[in-house]
Amino acid sequence: MIDVRDVPELNDPIVIAAFEGWNDAGESATQAVEHLVRVWDAEVMAVMDPEDYYDFQVNRPRVSMVDGRRQLTWPTTRVFLARDTPLGRDVILVLGIEPSIRWRSYVAEILSLAVDHEVTLLITLGALLADVPHSRPIPVSVTSEDPDLREAHDVERSTYEGPSGIVGVLMDQARQSELPGLSVWAAVPHYAGGPPSPKATLALVSRLEELLGCVIDEGDLTEESRAWEHGVDELASSDEEVAEYVESLEEAQDTADLPEASGDAIAREFEKYLRRRGGHEAG
């Protein structure tokens, strides 16, 4: 790490991390962490040295004008600390770019920071392109390799096999280091996968609310999600083939979701909602 700030002893901290690149369809995951940085007034506590991990011909530095002067910004990974959170505990937010080289060293740096601050939980956010309709709730899956977390949150182990991104490598190394972790992924409609994707970002934030048992300020995400959906509606309606394809996706998802639309399932979800809101008001 470079530019490491002095940090006092933290209160039962957790880490929430997201990375630009292969793991970040529609930039949904990184925008979710950026949202948390904003609403929780998080401050930078460390910056990773980009020289060690990035190919600058792939991730080039950017020039911008700040107060009339040219400023060069290097691609890197920043670590933020949020102390005023609705969890009643500190949160370390990792916002990075998937590295070009030395993945194991990169992950080791992040986990070393977690160990130094006695982190007890790692949550990674990701997003992938999928055959899902934009007009329905964005599917969000949660998996864990930790049996206690699986039982506590009623989630499964991941059954994915294939190429992995930095999120998968980080979670694997965390497991080997016996740091419990949850992997949270949003499914972004592939025909509307260009950034931004505020509806997927909002879905990730909402799932975090459930996992953490707190209420997170949604800011402008709800309004931005409606505007995004309306824009995709107009795009789809302008092309008959796309409109038919979206309709087929809607029918498929509605059929798949039908068994869950029972009275008991709805009651369970409503009870979870009341518990989260009630806890927030009581605090």
Side-chain angles (χ1 to χ4, degrees):
M1 296 281 180
I2 59 172
D3 192 24
V4 182
R5 313 291 170 85
D6 290 333
V7 177
E9 183 176 351
L10 301 186
N11 175 28
D12 191 20
I14 68 171
V15 170
I16 302 175
F19 304 89
E20 295 178 21
W22 194 77
N23 315 270
D24 193 27
E27 298 180 357
S28 311
T30 49
Q31 289 196 358
V33 171
E34 287 177 357
H35 178 77
L36 297 179
V37 169
R38 288 194 299 272
V39 299
W40 289 345
D41 295 322
E43 297 184 353
V44 174
M45 63 179 284
V47 179
M48 296 180 74
D49 189 345
E51 196 78 19
D52 292 337
Y53 302 112
Y54 297 107
D55 178 347
F56 297 136
Q57 290 183 326
V58 176
N59 294 289
R60 293 180 180 273
R62 298 183 64 86
V63 177
S64 56
M65 297 297 293
V66 178
D67 296 330
R69 301 183 63 180
R70 292 168 61 85
Q71 178 173 298
L72 193 66
T73 303
W74 293 90
T76 189
T77 294
R78 293 170 293 160
V79 182
F80 298 84
L81 175 60
R83 310 213 70 175
D84 184 17
T85 76
L87 283 71
R89 59 198 299 192
D90 295 327
V91 180
I92 295 172
L93 299 164
V94 178
L95 185 59
I97 304 169
E98 185 174 68
S100 307
I101 54 175
R102 303 181 68 230
W103 281 27
R104 286 179 291 184
S105 297
Y106 178 87
V107 164
E109 281 209 58
I110 294 174
L111 293 179
S112 176
L113 182 144
V115 170
D116 289 346
H117 293 288
E118 299 181 351
V119 167
T120 56
L121 175 66
L122 168 66
I123 300 177
T124 58
L125 305 182
L128 72 160
L129 299 176
D131 292 326
V132 296
H134 70 281
S135 52
R136 298 293 185 266
I138 295 291
V140 177
S141 64
V142 182
T143 59
S144 178
E145 295 299 307
D146 183 85
D148 293 334
L149 288 177
R150 291 201 299 270
E151 181 177 358
H153 297 287
D154 191 24
V155 299
E156 303 293 333
R157 299 180 70 174
S158 174
T159 58
Y160 171 76
E161 295 180 291
S164 179
I166 196 63
V167 166
V169 175
L170 176 59
M171 292 302 291
D172 181 71
Q173 292 299 307
R175 176 186 59 80
Q176 294 186 41
S177 302
E178 299 184 347
L179 173 61
L182 292 164
S183 185
V184 186
W185 285 78
V188 178
H190 71 87
Y191 58 88
S197 188
K199 189 171 181 178
T201 296
L202 179 59
L204 287 169
V205 170
S206 298
R207 194 68 175 95
L208 278 176
E209 280 190 323
E210 296 176 8
L211 294 170
L212 299 175
C214 70
V215 177
I216 300 173
D217 183 357
E218 295 176 352
D220 295 329
L221 283 177
T222 301
E223 183 178 343
E224 291 170 357
S225 297
R226 292 196 189 102
W228 176 85
E229 186 171 336
H230 179 68
V232 180
D233 281 340
E234 292 186 339
L235 178 65
S237 64
S238 65
D239 187 309
E240 185 175 343
E241 289 187 6
V242 173
E244 290 178 357
Y245 177 63
V246 171
E247 184 177 354
S248 69
L249 291 176
E250 292 172 338
E251 292 175 355
Q253 184 159 327
D254 291 345
T255 301
D257 291 345
L258 190 59
E260 294 298 322
S262 66
D264 288 344
I266 294 171
R268 285 195 302 270
E269 291 301 315
F270 188 59
E271 287 172 1
K272 286 164 59 179
Y273 169 83
L274 290 178
R275 282 198 299 271
R276 295 202 308 275
R277 299 291 159 177
H280 176 66
E281 291 169 2

